């Protein structure tokens, strides 16, 4: 079993970067030539006398990325231990460094901007890794894999977050390189997979029974983006904001703290030794993902963006690809839909139900109402025995907002009661890690989870967080009963207040982290998750989150989306926009750009005039006219900005959204027809007149 190196030294020379592992002196050294980026393996002993300018120690190689003019090696310079899972230490990426392949860097506005975006993205993103356990796979999938294969080869491609930036190393591993054309297994220890999302583990007790509880959320690297710039499905069937959340309970864990090595531990594996008791592992997996149709929400500075929905038939192949993968991996899928049945969200609900009707061979629908709503539940199932794989889809709609209206969040439990029989049949994963299994990592499976609950709301955040925590809570009650540490019919919330407090905060932390990576803010309704009840203080906090989301999603998310696209390979500067430059230049007409500045200046002048003391005997009318004029200017500017919001949203620059491009051109055309502003707005985009000069400069830089 080949595991990544836990300690790597990097030597910087004028013609190459050399990576070696001090704890494995007989292992091959990884050499990356400068400035070509060619990769090769060398005998470390032959490189001992090479002249180098710097030697540093790193925690691992995150990957390699090519921008417009240069290629960079991204190394992890600082990693923080966050806890042990099944005796294996897990780390969070804290700091990285970009090593340029050019010895003399060529500065370019776009290159510098892309480099800054990538660095900011890595710094803000919660990435986790382990040297000796596969974090990308659930425990149930780990039990099905061959532990003899390298760690990166076992990784789930969906959650192998740095897969794109590891492409050069993986290609060299599978195909070889210049002078070494065959596969190169010697590079396996240098390939380190990471996940993006949430990892939190606690060693605690429940009713004096020691146990370890962990929560792992893995975000998919496909169709990744920010809240309003990534919705629905892509053509390959990948859903936006797709996350897998695994709740893990371990009994007789040999060591889950932050302590050092002990017993059978070794430097390479990083696993702690333990006593002779068999370790029991129980896990429960849920998923979340955007409504699986083609749809988008178009920012226009309105609080509720307008929804754009394409034909359901056009999205059918993508939906089939999506659910084909989901059924293959998880088995039956229970599709819990929490969007509103009225208002702007109604179209999304209806589109989802039409899609399920088209997928299931003989759909049978049932609607249940109560005093609050005409459609409390709406289910779609196959009416007969399964004839196609899509008959394993089970749609459950729950009118979450109506049922929980007025701080009545306890009524969300109605959904759990509705799904009771399905949850019982679903079961959970249970396995035993025998005392000698640290040799090969194999698990003895006792029980498997046979299906999954896929939950969504509009954002797959706030309502989804509440329901997922309730499902996980119900399953944990069942686990404790099956383990014999709790009587049947009881709830752990009533048995151990300290454990209940820890558990609530664990799920609330998960809600905040998932929400922050997608919307830029923490989650709403976390007061329910943390305290068990809806409070007025929590409602006020939700209002604050809503305002912050509005500002970030309209004015700050463009660069965040560009950071996602660069790191994950959705935009590749070396092959995209060849010959172009100034990708990040603001190409709006100068007058359009100036309106917010004029508005800010007008408001400043009005404030100064209002709070400036009037001189004795001075005339009042000039000041009033002055105030009236600048108040009118400020009001007109603000009206213009709100009325033409598409022009002032901070859109992604690297991969422009089709609806954004269409909306921009429609809005700018409307402005050009304006009787007052139309003649003043330039009829060409800024920067196009200098294209010849820019292309010449670009060619010069590439030659250099």
């Amino acid at each position: 079993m080949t595991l990544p190196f836990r300690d790597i030294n990097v030597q910087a020379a004028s013609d190459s970067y050399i990576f070696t592992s001090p704890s494995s002196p007989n292992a091959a050294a990884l050499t990356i030539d400068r400035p070509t980026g060619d990769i090769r393996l060398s005998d470390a002993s032959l490189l001992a006398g090479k002249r180098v300018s710097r030697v540093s120690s790193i925690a691992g190689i995150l990957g390699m990325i090519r921008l417009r003019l240069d290629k960079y090696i991204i190394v992890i310079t600082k990693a923080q231990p966050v806890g042990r899972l099944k005796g294996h230490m897990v780390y969070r990426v804290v700091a990285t460094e970009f090593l340029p392949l050019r010895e003399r860097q060529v500065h370019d506005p776009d290159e510098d901007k892309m480099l800054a975006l990538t660095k900011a993205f890595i710094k803000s993103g919660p990435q986790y890794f382990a040297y000796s356990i596969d974090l990308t796979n659930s425990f149930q999938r780990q039990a099905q894999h061959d532990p003899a294969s390298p760690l990166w080869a076992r990784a789930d491609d969906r959650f192998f977050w740095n897969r794109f930036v590891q492409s050069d190393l993986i290609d060299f591993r599978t195909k070889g390189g210049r002078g070494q054309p065959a596969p190169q297994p010697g590079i396996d220890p240098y390939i380190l997979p990471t996940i993006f999302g949430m990892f939190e583990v606690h060693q605690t007790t429940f009713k004096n029974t020691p146990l370890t509880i962990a929560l792992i959320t893995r975000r998919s690297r496909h169709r990744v983006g920010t809240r309003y710039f990534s919705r629905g499905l892509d053509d390959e069937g990948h859903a936006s904001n797709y996350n897998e959340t695994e709740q893990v309970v371990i009994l007789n864990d040999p060591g889950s703290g932050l302590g050092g090595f002990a017993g059978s531990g070794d430097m390479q594996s990083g696993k702690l030794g333990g006593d002779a008791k068999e370790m029991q592992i129980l896990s429960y997996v849920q998923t979340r993902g955007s409504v699986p149709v083609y749809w988008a929400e178009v920012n226009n500075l309105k609080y509720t963006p307008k929804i754009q929905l394409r034909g359901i038939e056009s999205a059918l192949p993508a939906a089939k690809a999506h659910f084909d993968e989901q059924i293959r991996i998880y088995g039956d899928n229970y599709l819990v839909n929490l969007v509103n049945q009225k208002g702007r969200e109604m179209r999304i609900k209806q589109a989802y139900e039409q899609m399920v009707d088209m997928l299931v061979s003989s759909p049978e629908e049932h609607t249940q109402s109560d005093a609050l709503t005409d459609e409390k539940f709406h289910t779609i199932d196959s009416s007969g025995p399964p004839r196609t794989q899509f008959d394993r889809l089970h749609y459950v709609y729950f009118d979450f907002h109506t049922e929980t209206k007025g701080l009545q969040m306890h009524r969300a439990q109605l959904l759990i009661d509705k799904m009771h029989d399905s949850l019982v049949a679903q079961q959970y994963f249970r396995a035993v890690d025998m005392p000698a299994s640290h040799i090969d990592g194999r698990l003895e499976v006792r029980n498997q989870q046979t299906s999954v609950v896929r939950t969504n709301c509009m954002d797959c955040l706030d309502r989804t967080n509440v329901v997922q925590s309730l499902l996980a809570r119900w399953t944990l009650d069942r686990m404790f009963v099956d383990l014999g540490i709790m009587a049947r019919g009881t709830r752990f919330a009533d048995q151990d207040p300290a454990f209940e407090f820890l558990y609530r905060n664990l799920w609330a932390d998960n809600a905040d982290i998932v929400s922050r990576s997608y919307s830029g803010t923490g989650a709403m309704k976390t007061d329910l998750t943390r305290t068990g009840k809806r409070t007025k203080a929590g409602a006020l906090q939700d209002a604050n989150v809503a305002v912050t989301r509005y500002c970030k999603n309209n004015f700050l998310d463009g660069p965040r989306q560009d950071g996602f696209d660069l790191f994950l390979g959705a935009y590749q500067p070396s092959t995209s926009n060849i010959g172009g430059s100034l990708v990040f230049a603001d190409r709006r007409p100068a007058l359009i750009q100036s309106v917010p500045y004029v508005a800010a200046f007008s408001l400043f002048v009005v404030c100064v005039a209002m709070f400036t003391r009037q001189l004795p005997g001075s005339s009042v009318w000039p000041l009033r006219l002055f105030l009236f004029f600048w108040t009118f200017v400020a009001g007109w500017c603000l009206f213009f900005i709100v009325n033409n919001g598409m022009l002032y949203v901070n859109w992604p620059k690297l991969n422009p959204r089709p609806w954004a491009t269409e909306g921009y051109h429609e809005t700018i055309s409307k402005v050009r027809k304006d009787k007052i502003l139309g003649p003043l707005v330039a009829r060409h985009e800024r920067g196009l007149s200098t294209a010849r000069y820019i292309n010449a400069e670009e060619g010069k830089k590439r030659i250099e």
Side-chain angles (χ1 to χ4, degrees):
M1 180 170 56
T2 304
L3 298 175
F5 289 137
R6 298 175 55 84
D7 56 334
I8 297 177
N9 285 346
V10 54
Q11 305 173 44
S14 60
D15 62 345
S16 63
Y17 289 106
I18 303 168
F19 299 86
T20 58
S21 174
S23 63
S24 304
N26 296 325
L30 171 64
T31 302
I32 302 177
D33 291 335
R34 305 176 67 181
T36 61
D38 290 338
I39 301 172
R40 51 193 168 87
L41 292 175
S42 310
D43 189 338
S45 60
L46 300 179
L47 302 173
K50 187 177 179 66
R51 185 175 181 180
V52 297
S53 59
R54 188 184 69 164
V55 178
S56 56
S57 179
I58 61 174
I61 302 173
L62 192 61
M64 299 173 65
I65 188 168
R66 180 183 292 278
L67 300 182
R68 286 181 62 84
L69 303 175
D70 200 359
K71 201 170 191 177
Y72 303 85
I73 307 170
I74 311 172
V75 297
I76 303 170
T77 56
K78 185 178 181 181
Q80 177 186 4
V82 292
R84 291 188 180 273
L85 184 66
K86 206 165 76 73
H88 303 270
M89 182 63 77
V90 178
Y91 300 85
R92 187 179 192 271
V93 176
V94 175
T96 59
E97 183 181 355
F98 283 61
L99 305 178
L101 292 188
R102 289 180 182 270
E103 192 172 9
R104 296 178 59 189
Q105 287 187 264
V106 179
H107 288 285
D108 170 83
D110 285 346
E111 180 87 2
D112 295 343
K113 179 68 173 179
M114 291 177 184
L115 189 59
L117 285 172
T118 309
K119 288 181 177 179
F121 170 77
I122 295 175
K123 185 177 181 180
S124 63
Q127 292 190 63
Y128 298 89
F129 68 91
Y131 296 108
S132 52
I133 190 172
D134 181 10
L135 295 181
T136 67
N137 278 295
S138 66
F139 276 103
Q140 181 160 321
R141 293 197 299 275
Q142 288 182 44
Q144 300 165 358
H145 289 168
D146 179 10
S149 59
L151 190 66
W152 70 267
R154 286 178 268 156
D156 190 318
D157 183 72
R158 299 172 299 162
F159 308 121
F160 190 163
W161 185 254
N162 58 330
R163 175 62 177 80
F164 171 71
V165 293
Q166 289 279 6
S167 296
D168 287 343
L169 299 183
I170 293 175
D171 289 345
F172 178 77
R173 166 62 176 87
T174 56
K175 303 174 186 177
R178 184 180 301 177
Q180 297 174 319
Q184 302 292 322
I187 201 175
D188 286 336
Y190 293 100
I191 303 176
L192 181 67
T194 66
I195 63 168
F196 183 100
M198 152 86 170
F199 179 90
E200 192 171 329
V201 60
H202 294 278
Q203 190 174 25
T204 182
T205 60
F206 175 72
K207 295 177 62 178
N208 299 320
T209 301
L211 58 85
T212 298
I213 184 165
L215 197 60
I216 309 170
T217 291
R218 310 169 177 97
R219 187 175 186 183
S220 171
R221 68 183 183 91
H222 301 295
R223 193 162 175 77
V224 176
T226 58
R227 186 183 178 205
Y228 287 141
F229 297 149
S230 182
R231 298 289 207 192
L233 295 177
D234 63 14
D235 292 337
E236 287 74 39
H238 302 128
S240 292
N241 198 23
Y242 183 86
N243 291 264
E244 176 189 82
T245 299
E246 182 179 21
Q247 175 178 276
V248 182
V249 176
I250 303 177
L251 269 68
N252 303 321
D253 195 343
S256 58
L258 299 179
F261 301 95
S264 63
D266 61 87
M267 185 62 180
Q268 180 60 17
S269 71
K271 182 178 178 182
L272 286 173
D275 54 26
K277 291 183 179 179
E278 63 179 22
M279 185 194 309
Q280 296 198 56
I281 301 165
L282 303 86
S283 84
Y284 178 66
V285 170
Q286 304 178 67
T287 63
R288 72 176 80 193
S290 189
V291 174
V293 295
Y294 289 152
W295 67 287
E297 286 188 278
V298 185
N299 298 32
N300 54 7
L301 297 190
K302 302 294 192 297
Y303 181 74
T304 53
K306 59 182 179 181
I307 291 177
Q308 187 179 90
L309 182 64
R310 287 170 55 185
I312 306 303
E313 293 80 4
S314 63
L316 183 59
K320 285 184 175 180
H322 175 71
F323 286 117
D324 178 71
E325 179 184 61
Q326 298 302 297
I327 293 170
R328 174 173 51 82
I329 295 174
Y330 300 107
D332 284 35
N333 272 234
Y334 291 88
L335 313 178
V336 175
N337 186 11
L338 304 174
V339 304
N340 292 339
Q341 60 166 308
K342 297 179 180 178
R344 59 188 294 272
E345 297 183 11
M346 177 180 65
R347 294 173 60 201
I348 302 300
K349 171 185 178 292
Q350 293 174 343
Y352 198 171
E353 292 170 354
Q354 291 173 33
M355 180 60 73
V356 175
D357 281 335
M358 296 173 68
L359 289 170
V360 176
S361 60
S362 301
E364 184 176 4
E365 302 189 30
H366 296 280
T367 302
Q368 182 179 339
S369 62
D370 62 9
L372 297 176
T373 174
D374 294 333
E375 196 174 4
K376 173 182 176 182
F377 292 110
H378 182 181
T379 61
I380 303 176
D381 265 305
S382 176
S383 59
R387 284 183 284 177
T388 69
Q389 61 176 336
F390 299 118
D391 288 344
R392 302 181 70 181
L393 300 177
H394 314 277
Y395 176 85
V396 181
Y397 171 75
F398 177 56
D399 193 351
F400 184 93
H401 272 165
T402 302
E403 291 296 331
T404 60
K405 190 175 182 180
L407 305 181
Q408 301 296 310
M409 283 295 179
H410 63 277
R411 291 184 60 81
Q413 184 66 32
L414 294 171
L415 176 62
I416 310 301
D417 298 339
K418 175 71 174 179
M419 299 181 64
H420 179 270
D421 293 343
S422 300
L423 294 176
V424 170
Q426 181 182 67
Q427 305 183 67
Y428 56 85
F429 176 76
R430 184 174 181 179
V432 172
D433 188 359
M434 302 305 289
S437 67
H438 67 274
I439 299 174
D440 58 7
R442 292 186 183 275
L443 298 175
E444 183 181 323
V445 178
R446 301 288 175 84
N447 194 56
Q448 290 195 342
Q449 183 175 335
T450 60
S451 63
V452 73
V453 178
R454 183 195 190 276
T455 309
N456 74 270
C457 48
M458 287 295 283
D459 297 325
C460 303
L461 295 178
D462 311 314
R463 287 168 276 184
T464 299
N465 293 328
V466 172
V467 168
Q468 284 202 339
S469 66
L470 292 176
L471 289 166
R473 175 180 293 274
W474 185 92
T475 304
L476 188 58
D477 280 336
R478 183 182 180 187
M479 289 178 176
F480 284 167
V481 170
D482 292 346
L483 288 170
I485 58 178
M486 196 170 75
R488 189 172 300 277
T490 59
R491 302 185 308 158
F492 72 81
D494 304 323
Q495 302 287 313
D496 191 328
F499 181 83
E500 164 72 2
F501 177 79
L502 182 149
Y503 186 80
R504 287 191 178 280
N505 282 278
L506 182 67
W507 271 94
D509 292 343
N510 178 70
D512 283 337
I513 290 173
V514 173
S515 176
R516 198 169 289 116
S517 67
Y518 189 52
S519 69
T521 71
M524 294 183 180
K525 301 178 176 66
T526 52
D527 57 325
L528 172 66
T529 312
R530 293 189 189 277
T531 66
K533 58 184 179 181
R534 201 72 169 102
T535 63
K536 292 183 178 179
L540 291 175
Q541 175 62 23
D542 286 356
N544 177 55
V545 169
V547 173
T548 306
R549 279 185 185 176
Y550 169 82
C551 296
K552 287 191 172 185
N553 297 160
N554 283 282
F555 305 118
L556 299 177
D557 272 359
R560 287 184 63 223
Q561 182 67 53
D562 289 335
F564 277 115
D565 292 342
L566 281 169
F567 186 82
L568 297 173
Y571 178 89
Q572 299 182 37
S574 59
T575 58
S576 304
N577 198 25
I578 294 296
S581 188
L582 296 181
V583 177
F584 298 98
D586 191 343
R587 301 185 185 278
R588 295 173 301 169
L591 182 61
I592 300 297
Q593 296 182 50
S594 67
V595 172
Y597 299 99
V598 174
F601 177 77
S602 303
L603 292 172
F604 172 75
V605 171
V606 169
C607 291
V608 171
M610 289 180 63
F611 293 100
T612 300
R613 180 178 297 179
Q614 187 177 350
L615 296 175
S618 61
S619 177
V620 175
W621 278 106
L623 179 62
R624 288 181 177 177
L625 290 174
F626 182 81
L627 275 173
F628 175 79
F629 172 77
W630 286 108
T631 302
F632 173 79
V633 171
W636 181 88
C637 289
L638 293 175
F639 172 80
F640 180 85
I641 291 171
V642 172
N643 200 41
N644 300 281
M646 292 287 292
L647 302 178
Y648 297 99
V649 172
N650 193 346
W651 299 103
K653 299 293 194 301
L654 300 181
N655 284 328
R657 272 43 188 171
W659 61 88
T661 304
E662 294 170 6
Y664 172 84
H665 287 301
E666 290 176 3
T667 307
I668 202 71
S669 298
K670 182 180 70 173
V671 172
R672 284 171 177 162
K673 294 176 183 177
D674 187 90
K675 294 181 179 180
I676 299 176
L677 282 185
L680 302 176
V681 174
R683 296 185 179 275
H684 65 276
E685 291 186 329
R686 177 186 171 199
L688 296 184
S689 59
T690 59
R692 290 179 178 271
Y693 171 76
I694 290 169
N695 288 344
E697 287 295 306
E698 175 73 13
K700 180 181 176 182
K701 288 172 182 174
R702 289 186 180 276
I703 291 172
E704 290 176 352

